[in-house]
Amino acid sequence: GIIHCSKPFFSVQFHPEACGGPYDTKFLFTDFIQMVRGVVPERVLVNPSLYERSTIRKVLLIGSGGLSIGQAGEFDYSGSQAIKALKEEGIYVVLINPNIATVQTSKNLGKGHAAPDKVYFLPIRASVVEDILKKERPDGVIVSMGGQTALNVGIELHRRGVFEQH
């Protein structure tokens, strides 16, 4: 969201899956009512004491997989942006993506882009991801940048207790 420093203006944009509304963002409606009444609400944008930040040095990103025209391109883009953000934080990125023709798997992404540190060109299947988890021992796994295939694999691995084992 955006909050003006001195005027009572603010804006919030939600991703469709977030289901933003009066129940999970009640504070926004309370702030709005206070502003209408002429009261400037007190805002604490981030209270660091609420968040425990663990040290993450290495992540496994489950990629977008096979791309076809009109399908899954957004996951390639979001995955490549995730890689860029992770690299900016100094995190070692291991990517699994069977498709050699994606932005995610490109070693030469150009200025302002970052490539993963290691790429596995293997099928996105639970058994394959489990083998990579055993070998790489990442601190975390990101499944939300790879579309439905990656999400399904993540759910299967969670249900089988694989994340707790490795």
Side-chain angles (χ1 to χ4, degrees):
I2 299 172
I3 301 173
H4 195 278
C5 294
S6 59
K7 296 182 181 179
F9 304 146
F10 67 95
S11 172
V12 177
Q13 178 180 355
F14 292 100
H15 203 271
E17 291 88 30
C19 298
Y23 300 109
D24 60 348
T25 57
K26 184 178 179 198
F27 71 95
L28 293 173
F29 294 96
T30 303
D31 286 359
F32 175 74
I33 297 299
Q34 286 179 333
M35 287 181 196
V36 169
R37 293 180 178 157
V39 177
V40 178
E42 182 180 331
R43 290 193 182 94
V44 178
L45 299 179
V46 175
N47 182 350
S49 66
L50 297 175
Y51 304 98
E52 181 181 320
R53 187 170 175 143
S54 60
T55 302
I56 296 177
R57 293 183 176 94
K58 184 182 202 181
V59 298
L60 172 62
L61 190 139
I62 302 177
S64 56
L67 300 179
S68 59
I69 295 173
Q71 180 182 341
E74 66 275 15
F75 300 118
D76 185 32
Y77 178 78
S78 62
S80 63
Q81 292 302 303
I83 292 166
K84 179 181 175 185
L86 291 164
K87 296 305 299 169
E88 287 174 0
E89 293 296 318
I91 297 172
Y92 187 93
V93 179
V94 178
L95 171 69
I96 175 173
N97 193 333
N99 191 341
I100 62 169
T102 65
V103 175
Q104 292 176 10
T105 56
S106 176
K107 283 287 186 187
N108 188 13
L109 293 177
K111 186 176 181 182
H113 297 282
D117 296 287
K118 186 182 268 187
V119 178
Y120 287 91
F121 293 105
L122 296 170
I124 297 176
R125 293 193 199 119
S127 60
V128 174
V129 173
E130 184 174 4
D131 289 343
I132 293 171
L133 286 169
K134 289 176 187 175
K135 180 178 180 181
E136 293 292 338
R137 299 284 202 209
D139 300 312
V141 179
I142 299 174
V143 299
S144 59
M145 301 293 158
Q148 198 60 50
T149 302
L151 291 171
N152 290 341
V153 166
I155 289 168
E156 181 179 340
L157 293 172
H158 172 71
R159 286 184 178 152
R160 289 183 16 216
V162 171
F163 295 130
E164 290 77 21
Q165 294 170 14
H166 305 289

